[in-house]
Amino acid sequence: MSTTATPTQQPAADARGTGLGRLSWPLALTGSILMIAGSLMSWSYNPRVLGDLTLYFNPGALQIQMILVGLLGLVFTLSVRGPLRKLGRFLDAGRALQRLGLGAAAFMALVLVAITLEAGGLINADPGAWVVLLGAVLAAVGGHFSTHRPDRDITGVRLPAWAEILLIVAGVGAFLFLAADALSLRDPWQFVLLLGTVGILCAALAGARFFDWLGIVASRHSRVLMLAAFVAAFAFPLTQQGSDANMSIATQVIIFAATAIGLNIVVGLAGLLDLGYIAFLGSGAYVGAILSGSAFSTIGWTPPFFVTVLIAGVFTAILGLIIGSPTLRVSGDYLAIVTLAFGEIFRYAMFNLDGNNGPNLTNGPNGIPAIPDLNFFGFDFGKSHDLFGFTITRFSNYYILLLIVLAFIILVFVRLNDSRIGRGWVAIREDEKAADAMGVNTFALKLFAFAGGAFLAGIAGSIKAHQDVSVTPDQYQFLESAFLLSAVVLGGMGTVGGVLIGAVILKLLPEKLRFFSEYRLLLFGLLLVLMMRFRPEGLVASKRRKLEFHEEDEQLAADIQKVHLREQQ
């Protein structure tokens, strides 16, 4: 392992260096050990709660998750004082331990709430749960009062190329395993607690600045990361054992992600707030349905599907030009209101194109049902197929097709972002008047962003029509536009990875949290509030947006400058 980092000044001991400050390491060590030991004990008297947590030295799934949390806490503790002290020179172990302890304490509080509700009272909680809770509190206190600070910049650490590539592949494989495991869970409490575990681990690693280093590693091996991600994505259907329910959710996630990347051009790059973007997805879906050969189609022409996809994309792009020409002359709040109105106008237009209030194109509120499955060269997407002993179901067929389309959309986005057009969009987003003064054709570029984003959404919509079997106006309401915009903001505007993560979170969570019924939107709102408070730049933010939201963070600016210089070298 090599590093180009320069030593940083170790801060002087403050009030934390006395009293509890001297006890911080023993407290953190004791807390980590208690979290592991308590996870080997019984958590609940009732074996039907949370997957049977009643056995000693035979941990269930949730207990194994907490053992992993405890082991990570042990690693951070021993990096402060112990055999892993060299690692502690690069990691902010104190902050990581504090986050890990607080997260573990919240996790155990949720476990106790679940036991209380599912088993009929808190009396059903066994000693192991209380031991883990005590350990989490001790770890948080130890981390809070820790005086340890790293004296080296972790972003300068450079491992051998093969080790970094192996780390990327292992991370992608872990994400594949996690996604498959999350979809297989039927108990909503177990699903929520699994997400809680992932959140604890990510928060602790982020506190240690591990993800700052991982982002640099990923940028050095971006092609390996993209290849590994798509290999894992194509392998995902093989992990579902022919489950159509899980693959249905997965296809919806891919459609949502592809559409969100198109919106990312408009919002993330050009900075145009579009609240009616779902209309472009609906336009593509209606074009695909009308030209599908359905018995309810009002046009008796069924071109090859590849021609249909092209027609859908071009039609939505033209629609984007028609809508964008007058509306893009306004900006800010006015643009948001106009696009919101466009989304509602589209939906009501689909209601009225029923032969009574207008030409008969969409069958009005009944929509176009019975859309036939795709058939490419004898390959029927509506039937199951066997591949190397694995069953590839109907939704798996569409999932693989959508992955190919998603790869195309990502390629278009990346190429545009790295081009002169992309730089023009960024200039418009930063300061439209300054960009116009520098000779940038702002109106043409904004119009192209609108049309380009609409084109990508139309392509995704044409496939969605066949996957959903029917198209109705009620599928394309304002709430869907709000979710798409939230995916872009939550994941990180202007980035591909961030939008993909945001799409997965916002499409997967509502499906798996049906147990909470009407409270799902409340939880979603709380998540957004917390994100805007603690990480407004998004989960995967570009360097520029990090500085925009953290201008006062001089250390962040210095780190980004170092990374930029290393990339130039």
Side-chain angles (χ1 to χ4, degrees):
M1 180 178 71
S2 63
T3 176
T4 59
T6 57
T8 58
Q9 184 178 1
Q10 185 77 11
D14 54 9
R16 296 183 181 185
T18 62
L20 285 176
R22 289 194 292 267
L23 297 176
S24 62
W25 188 82
L27 287 173
L29 180 63
T30 304
S32 300
I33 293 174
L34 286 178
M35 283 192 285
I36 298 172
S39 300
L40 298 175
M41 301 167 63
S42 172
W43 284 9
S44 173
Y45 179 76
N46 192 328
R48 293 186 297 274
V49 176
L50 300 178
D52 192 1
L53 306 176
T54 62
L55 302 177
Y56 282 79
F57 302 104
N58 187 13
L62 294 180
Q63 292 164 319
I64 292 175
Q65 294 170 25
M66 189 49 58
I67 289 175
L68 293 177
V69 173
L71 289 174
L72 183 61
L74 202 58
V75 168
F76 288 135
T77 304
L78 296 180
S79 69
V80 174
R81 189 189 308 169
L84 302 178
R85 183 173 295 180
K86 289 184 178 180
L87 186 63
R89 300 188 66 185
F90 303 96
L91 300 178
D92 191 345
R95 182 192 298 178
L97 280 168
Q98 182 181 5
R99 292 185 178 186
L100 184 140
L102 291 175
F107 178 94
M108 292 310 301
L110 280 177
V111 169
L112 293 173
V113 169
I115 292 174
T116 301
L117 296 177
E118 299 291 323
L122 191 58
I123 194 173
N124 290 281
D126 275 355
W130 300 105
V131 171
V132 176
L133 180 60
L134 175 62
V137 172
L138 292 178
V141 173
H144 177 73
F145 288 98
S146 174
T147 59
H148 170 78
R149 294 294 181 270
D151 59 2
R152 294 278 180 175
D153 183 4
I154 189 175
T155 59
V157 176
R158 187 157 191 163
L159 300 176
W162 64 266
E164 293 181 346
I165 292 174
L166 186 62
L167 179 64
I168 290 174
V169 173
V172 172
F175 184 80
L176 173 63
F177 173 79
L178 177 65
D181 188 42
L183 280 177
S184 66
L185 293 175
R186 294 292 177 263
D187 186 340
W189 278 110
Q190 291 188 30
F191 178 78
V192 170
L193 291 170
L194 174 62
L195 293 184
T197 303
V198 174
I200 293 169
L201 297 177
C202 290
L205 291 173
R209 300 196 63 203
F210 172 78
F211 287 125
D212 293 343
W213 173 76
L214 189 62
I216 296 172
V217 171
S219 65
R220 280 200 293 262
H221 306 282
S222 56
R223 294 184 179 180
V224 174
L225 175 61
M226 191 64 67
L227 178 62
F230 272 100
V231 169
F234 278 108
F236 179 75
L238 306 181
T239 67
Q240 296 306 302
Q241 300 175 350
S243 171
D244 252 348
N246 290 345
M247 291 311 303
S248 173
I249 297 175
T251 54
Q252 293 296 332
V253 169
I254 298 296
I255 293 172
F256 192 77
T259 311
I261 291 177
L263 179 60
N264 201 17
I265 293 178
V266 180
V267 177
L269 296 184
L272 307 173
L273 184 55
D274 188 347
L275 297 180
Y277 190 77
I278 194 65
F280 296 127
L281 180 68
S283 300
Y286 266 100
V287 170
I290 291 172
L291 301 180
S292 66
S294 166
F296 297 89
S297 174
T298 56
I299 295 180
W301 179 47
T302 308
F305 179 69
F306 295 106
V307 177
T308 301
V309 170
L310 184 60
I311 293 174
V314 171
F315 176 79
T316 52
I318 294 174
L319 188 62
L321 291 174
I322 294 173
I323 301 300
S325 295
T327 59
L328 290 180
R329 298 187 183 278
V330 298
S331 60
D333 299 338
Y334 301 101
L335 177 62
I337 293 172
V338 171
T339 54
L340 171 61
F342 163 64
E344 291 302 297
I345 289 171
F346 166 79
R347 186 164 64 91
Y348 283 104
M350 297 302 101
F351 274 116
N352 291 321
L353 295 179
D354 57 355
N356 295 321
N357 302 307
N360 186 18
L361 291 176
T362 65
N363 294 325
N366 295 323
I368 303 176
I371 299 174
D373 286 303
L374 296 175
N375 192 309
F376 293 163
F377 308 107
F379 184 87
D380 190 347
F381 278 68
K383 295 181 180 179
S384 298
H385 304 273
D386 290 330
L387 179 65
F388 305 119
F390 295 95
T391 301
I392 305 299
T393 63
R394 174 184 181 274
F395 286 105
S396 299
N397 296 330
Y398 282 103
Y399 172 85
I400 294 173
L401 174 62
L402 286 165
L403 271 182
I404 297 173
V405 173
L406 180 63
F408 167 75
I409 291 176
I410 291 175
L411 179 63
V412 171
F413 179 87
V414 171
R415 292 298 185 186
L416 286 174
N417 189 22
D418 294 337
S419 68
R420 183 178 179 181
I421 294 174
R423 292 192 293 272
W425 283 335
V426 172
I428 293 172
R429 187 191 71 198
E430 298 298 324
D431 192 328
E432 183 176 348
K433 292 183 178 180
D436 191 29
M438 294 299 294
V440 176
N441 191 337
T442 56
F443 181 75
L445 284 181
K446 290 195 295 183
L447 199 59
F448 182 65
F450 229 70
F455 178 83
L456 298 180
I459 291 176
S462 64
I463 301 175
K464 175 178 169 62
H466 289 270
Q467 191 262 334
D468 288 344
V469 185
S470 67
V471 175
T472 58
D474 288 333
Q475 293 175 295
Y476 306 100
Q477 301 182 15
F478 165 71
L479 187 61
E480 295 298 321
S481 290
F483 269 86
L484 284 169
L485 182 61
S486 300
V488 174
V489 175
L490 177 66
M493 290 195 290
T495 64
V496 173
V499 172
L500 293 178
I501 293 175
V504 171
I505 292 174
L506 294 184
K507 203 64 179 178
L508 181 62
L509 284 182
E511 292 293 336
K512 300 299 291 186
L513 296 181
R514 292 186 180 275
F515 168 78
F516 294 102
S517 187
E518 65 272 15
Y519 294 105
R520 288 183 296 165
L521 288 180
L522 174 63
L523 296 175
F524 166 68
L526 290 175
L527 174 64
L528 287 183
V529 169
L530 291 174
M531 278 296 303
M532 293 305 98
R533 169 60 183 85
F534 295 104
R535 195 173 175 84
E537 68 271 23
L539 294 173
V540 181
S542 63
K543 300 167 189 173
R544 181 188 298 271
R545 293 197 68 81
K546 280 185 178 180
L547 287 178
E548 287 177 3
F549 286 101
H550 302 280
E551 293 179 353
E552 74 285 353
D553 194 337
E554 297 180 0
Q555 182 61 41
L556 175 61
D559 291 344
I560 291 177
Q561 182 66 23
K562 291 177 185 177
V563 173
H564 181 66
L565 291 175
R566 281 197 294 270
E567 289 177 350
Q568 288 181 337
Q569 294 173 356

